[in-house]
Amino acid sequence: MTETTIGTLSRIAGSFVTAKGMLNAKMFELVKVGEVGIIGEIIRISGNTSIIQAYEETEGIKLGEKIIGTGKPLSVELGPGLMGQILDGIQRPLPLIADKIGPWIEKGIEVPAIDRNKKWQFQPIISKGAKVTSGDILGVVQETPSIENRIMVPPEIVGVVESICSEGDFTVTEPIAEIKTSNGIKEVLMMQTWPVRQARPYKTMLHIDTPLITGQRIIDSFFPVAKGGIIAVTGGFGTGKTVLLQTIAVWIDADIIVYIGCGERGNEMADVLERFTHLKRTDSDHPLLSRSVLIANTSNMPILAREASIYSGITIAEYYRDMGYNVAIMADSTSRWAEALREISGRLEEMPGEEGYPAYLSSRLAEYYSRAGSIKTLGTKDREGSITVLSAISPPGGDFSEPVTRNTLQLAKVFWALDFNLAHRRHYPAVNWFMSYSEYTSFLEDWFLRVDRDWQKLCGDARALLREEEELKEIVALIGADILGDKQRGVFELAKMLKEYFLMQSAYHPVDVYCPIQKTFKMLRTLLKFNEKISTAIDSGVPLQKILALPVKVGISRMKIVPSNEFDSVNAKLTADMDEQFEVLIQEAREEKNND
Amino acid sequence: MTKSNKGLTFFTVNEIEGSLLECESVVGIGYGELVKIITKDGKEKTGQVIDVSDKMTVIQLFENTSGLNIKSIGIRFTGDTIKLPVSMDMFGRIFSGVGKPIDNGPDIIPEDYLDVHAATINPYSRLHPTKVIQTGISVIDGLNTLLLGQKLPLLSGAGMPHKRLASQIVSQARVPETDEQFTIVFAAMGITSDEMVLFRNDFLKMDAINRVVMFINLAEDPAIERLLTPRFALTAAEYLAFQHDHHVLVIMVDVTNYCEALREISASRLEIPGRRGYPGYMYTDLAMLYERAGIIRGKKGSITMIPILTMPDDDVTHPIADLTNYITEGQIILDRSMFKRGIYPPIDPLICLSRLMDKGIGLNKTREDHKQLSDQLYYAYAEGKTVQETAMVSGEKALTNTDKLYLKFMERFEKEFINQGYYENRDIETTLNIGWDLLSILPESELARIDPEILNKFHPNYLK
Ligand SMILES: Nc1ncnc2c1ncn2[C@@H]1O[C@H](COP(=O)(O)OP(=O)(O)OP(=O)(O)O)[C@@H](O)[C@H]1O
Ligand SMILES: [Mg+2]
């Protein structure tokens, strides 16, 4: 253990305190400040004087009180018991705090991140005498009904298993194995700690070639997410970032979700907790919480913990990635994180960059996002894991040219631009189909081809139709609507159908909330078929009004709420009806022509 | 324990600059500690330690520094942080922005002293709001429903009737499932004396004065006091809600004045400004206020909050409005053009939002058709506006018959649904029925956001 250093408080100004007489202080070392012992981090050292940023309110702390160093940088505890937890930005379980002191969080409260008394049933999968290296799995623990925790040899340990416990119940601090290394025998516990600002090691980065299906039609078809990718969800207040992220958290086909409420609303966090505790994908599934870790640092909680929260989150994500899981991490919102950074920098009187953000904003963002990716883990045997990062960005005034959005878009490969105009019309998800993009589409071609051979054409045609509508709108604005023939009016109608019946998707409808990828493409195919039919029918002299009155249109409008197990038969009937009803119209038109 | 200097008076002031006072430090001074400043003639002023080091202590004064003389002022450290004396006798009383009675009544006999910077509510201990408050105003109840424990701001512009609307809400709002009225905590920041009189008269007229606690910081009061006013008010609200089980409605007016004070103080402390000169921490600062609304598991009371702010130039992207909307659970925005057309309340629903609404409405809560009806009204009104634009660009002749019906819907919707009297208190049932009447202007085939079953049950065509 490192010796602790003790100093005396010589200045307190807001969340910054200065300590004298700190002999062995290290940068980023965690300290306890004052009699109440609030947590702080050393951020500047000159001689025996350290400047410390406190993670909590310093009100009431007095000149001359003590500061005690812990010898360690801000770290998280990693081990069984983490899954299903609800933590604050510096990994204190919120339910425990509530149990201990009631509904208000008082400063200086200390609770262990991982329960020290709980016993876990450990099952070894390796025997004495085996040669092991960091990342190798020694045994497993069923952490929750959904997640098996794989107990790994911690980083930087290589050697031979000297002893390993046989199956039995252990706490996270009891040694379960001993490994003989060149530096002597090392005990391995089920729990390890890791400094949050340091990425956990892996073997190699892998190519991106697989999507993560979200169940959101506009996303899976137009702007897909790749496993190991970086996604920016950007939009002004109320455009639907939070609802979209939360919906995706439930449905995305990742194994594990880390959800960070970073500087946002308390009631929203209450809602997330409630949802994650009860929501299941299917009746036989376990609640989402059994494969999630939640981090809640709401807007009124200390900003320094807010700044730390995304690092705590991604370190936890890396820990499960290293076991071989696909983890999706969501942070709502990284703008609040950046503001915390700005505030800290401002208080340190650093030279401000653009809009007061520190010059290192972009490098800090890069540090965070570089921890995303699909990787081959450490260890003797090949194992793959991934972290997919989804971040909400809340630009002031909804203006995407501001620093946080711009710097994030340098790193993110997927951009979902949420649009005030769509949101005001209650068109959700309010993803603007002209501004948004996914640079992964081409990497994912092979995968999607296996789902639907025509997917590129389907998406391409649909987007072309939306563009055509936009161009027509501009013409109408210039010249007026009377120049429009039935053909052009047909484009408006179909674009409207595409928006209302396909792109719009309710997060609150039990069926519509999730659309399987096959169904997404089939819906597109049916809509586009309707489009072709309109075109032919109009060419044959059928008036648009008649087409729009076709009963099959009602069927199309309801495709999205047809449960996926009934969809194929409903859809087959729909296409057959469509053929038949158009045939009748065209026949009528011909007869009318002949009668003239 | 470190030694405390409680009760001792020091004469060590070195400098006075603006409302900041610098003095020599003494051991044991606490950050955020409340200090009393004693002037030569024995008067007391209050201040707070905002920076303390071995070398010096900086005190922020809450009152005017004019007339202070460096040599003659004494400083007394109280060893305490800022606290509000509370008791159930606060009702009907008027306090200054820093919690002193200003209605010529006696001091209250405190039951307790509460720290005005309340600790954070543990998000895990919050109960998500689910109960609807009926305000009697259609455009709110029908389309942007307010829930118990929600924070929903009124964003307005100079000269628009937000104060009136606030008074109407105070007079009409009912605690869900009861016929009781709310306890009102009223925090005025930087308003004029005649505005204060108006509010007070309103409360008197509606016989509400005995359920109101007022904290008033007037325009001429020091800016620093303005920063404390909402904190005092919210502390009173928390006391009433969480210690005495009241359902409290907090009205804060005008948050714009509050933010201006924040900017002023920040500039005087030479802090680096953020967007448009407002301090970078304004988001967090506002969140510390707004997030004090809510419901806590195991507590019977609640705090619902309606902050009111006037947007400079009616600009929603102005930092004050923008940040507020990023923190609150939706927004009600007053619209200048509707106001000019004589519509009261001049609320354009398209730019409004109640984020919690979906959790509170529907079967067994308001009525099963509420959600779909509201979605359809939204859609129809938006469509009507689009048609109106087309008509303006290309003339009426460019409109189809359906277009014309949308236009008609839009006009009647503004006149009959949005528009209502200052004394008109509509229950939710009435609001929803007006909505249906108006939808019946449109062909049934246009009502695609409503399920057939709901249509059969509520559409006027099917009602006998
Ligand atoms: N997919 C959706 N389906 C239905 N309603 C939605 C959907 N997305 C958003 N909404 C509606 O829009 C409201 C605002 O959405 P949300 O809270 O996600 O916005 P936001 O972008 O996170 O805003 P902020 O930046 O202020 O946090 C929701 O309360 C809900 O009423
Ligand atoms: Mg949000």
Side-chain angles (χ1 to χ4, degrees), chain A residues 10-12 14 20 60-63 94 103-105 237-238 263 265-267 271 336 395 397 425-426 500, chain B residues 28-29 31 51-54 119-120 122 128 283 291 322 325-329 355 359 378 386 393 397 449:
Chain A
S10 61
R11 182 176 177 195
I12 312 152
K20 281 189 313 196
I61 304 235
K62 294 188 174 69
L63 212 55
L94 291 168
W104 281 276
I105 303 176
F237 60 82
R265 305 172 182 85
N267 274 338
D271 188 30
R336 305 299 164 228
R425 296 184 137 248
R426 301 299 191 259
E500 290 266 314
Chain B
I29 298 180
Y31 176 76
D51 187 344
V52 51
S53 70
D54 289 351
T120 308
N122 185 334
H128 198 277
Y283 173 85
E291 280 290 334
D322 192 53
N325 293 341
Y326 267 126
I327 305 163
T328 52
E329 285 131 358
R355 292 161 191 269
K359 291 255 152 47
Y378 255 105
T386 318
V393 178
K397 63 181 187 310
R449 294 194 183 180

Side-chain angles (χ1 to χ4, degrees), chain A residues 476 481, chain B residues 385-396 398-399 403:
Chain A
V476 170
Chain B
K385 287 227 155 169
T386 318
V387 173
Q388 190 184 36
E389 273 166 36
T390 318
M392 267 182 331
V393 178
S394 334
E396 295 260 344
L399 305 184
D403 286 349

Side-chain angles (χ1 to χ4, degrees), chain A residues 216 235-244 247 264-265 268 332 336 394 418 428-429 505-508, chain B residues 325-328 353-356 358 371:
Chain A
Q216 294 289 309
F237 60 82
T239 49
K241 300 178 290 296
T242 303
V243 174
L244 189 59
T247 312
E264 295 275 312
R265 305 172 182 85
E268 246 165 35
D332 184 9
R336 305 299 164 228
S394 327
L418 303 192
Y428 296 117
Q505 188 169 352
S506 168
Y508 302 114
Chain B
N325 293 341
Y326 267 126
I327 305 163
T328 52
L353 178 68
S354 164
R355 292 161 191 269
L356 305 185
D358 290 335
K371 168 82 178 133

Side-chain angles (χ1 to χ4, degrees), chain A residues 9-14 20 35 57-63 65 86 94-95 97-98 102-105 235-238 241 263-271 273 296 298-301 303 306 336 339 342-343 346-347 350 352 355 394-398 424-426 428 476-477 480-482 489 496 500 504 508 558, chain B residues 1-2 25-26 28-32 48 50-54 81 115 117 119-129 144 149 151 242 272 275 280-281 283-284 287-288 291 296 299 316-317 322 325-329 331 349-353 355-356 358-359 378-379 382-383 386 393-394 397-398 400 449-452:
Chain A
L9 274 173
S10 61
R11 182 176 177 195
I12 312 152
K20 281 189 313 196
E35 272 162 24
E57 290 284 331
T58 53
E59 200 142 290
I61 304 235
K62 294 188 174 69
L63 212 55
E65 286 186 357
I86 300 152
L94 291 168
I97 295 182
W104 281 276
I105 303 176
F237 60 82
K241 300 178 290 296
E264 295 275 312
R265 305 172 182 85
N267 274 338
E268 246 165 35
M269 270 337 279
D271 188 30
L273 301 186
T298 55
S299 56
N300 54 341
M301 287 160 84
I303 58 146
R306 188 197 301 170
R336 305 299 164 228
E339 281 162 12
R342 173 169 71 185
E343 202 172 323
R347 296 243 168 109
E350 291 172 342
E355 296 199 13
S394 327
H424 288 166
R425 296 184 137 248
R426 301 299 191 259
Y428 296 117
V476 170
D482 20 343
R489 283 185 200 278
K496 189 168 157 187
E500 290 266 314
M504 266 179 66
Y508 302 114
R558 300 190 161 254
Chain B
M1 263 308 281
T2 334
S25 293
V26 281
I29 298 180
Y31 176 76
Q48 186 183 16
I50 60 163
D51 187 344
V52 51
S53 70
D54 289 351
T81 49
D115 195 329
H117 301 278
T120 308
I121 302 176
N122 185 334
Y124 180 77
S125 303
R126 278 182 187 271
L127 259 193
H128 198 277
N144 293 289
K151 41 191 179 297
F242 303 129
I272 297 163
R275 216 155 59 100
Y281 51 80
Y283 173 85
T284 307
M288 300 287 231
E291 280 290 334
I296 292 174
K299 303 262 175 200
V316 198
T317 68
D322 192 53
N325 293 341
Y326 267 126
I327 305 163
T328 52
E329 285 131 358
Q331 65 280 340
L350 295 186
I351 47 174
C352 298
L353 178 68
R355 292 161 191 269
L356 305 185
D358 290 335
K359 291 255 152 47
Y378 255 105
Y379 181 81
E383 201 63 15
T386 318
V393 178
S394 334
K397 63 181 187 310
T400 65
R449 294 194 183 180
I450 300 180
D451 287 344

Side-chain angles (χ1 to χ4, degrees), chain A residues 371-403:
Chain A
R371 293 168 80 168
S374 238
I375 57 115
K376 202 171 264 178
T377 66
L378 296 182
T380 319
K381 281 200 198 123
D382 271 355
R383 198 162 63 227
E384 289 179 9
S386 68
I387 296 180
T388 308
V389 180
L390 296 102
S391 299
I393 304 173
S394 327
D399 169 12
F400 294 170
S401 66
E402 57 88 42

Side-chain angles (χ1 to χ4, degrees), chain B residues 125-136:
Chain B
S125 303
R126 278 182 187 271
L127 259 193
H128 198 277
T130 51
K131 292 185 181 147
V132 169
I133 297 174
Q134 177 176 300
T135 66

Side-chain angles (χ1 to χ4, degrees), chain A residues 498-520:
Chain A
L498 195 61
K499 289 181 228 170
E500 290 266 314
Y501 308 153
F502 180 79
L503 297 178
M504 266 179 66
Q505 188 169 352
S506 168
Y508 302 114
H509 190 286
V511 174
D512 199 24
V513 62
Y514 175 77
C515 191
I517 185 74
Q518 291 84 356
K519 181 178 165 188
T520 293

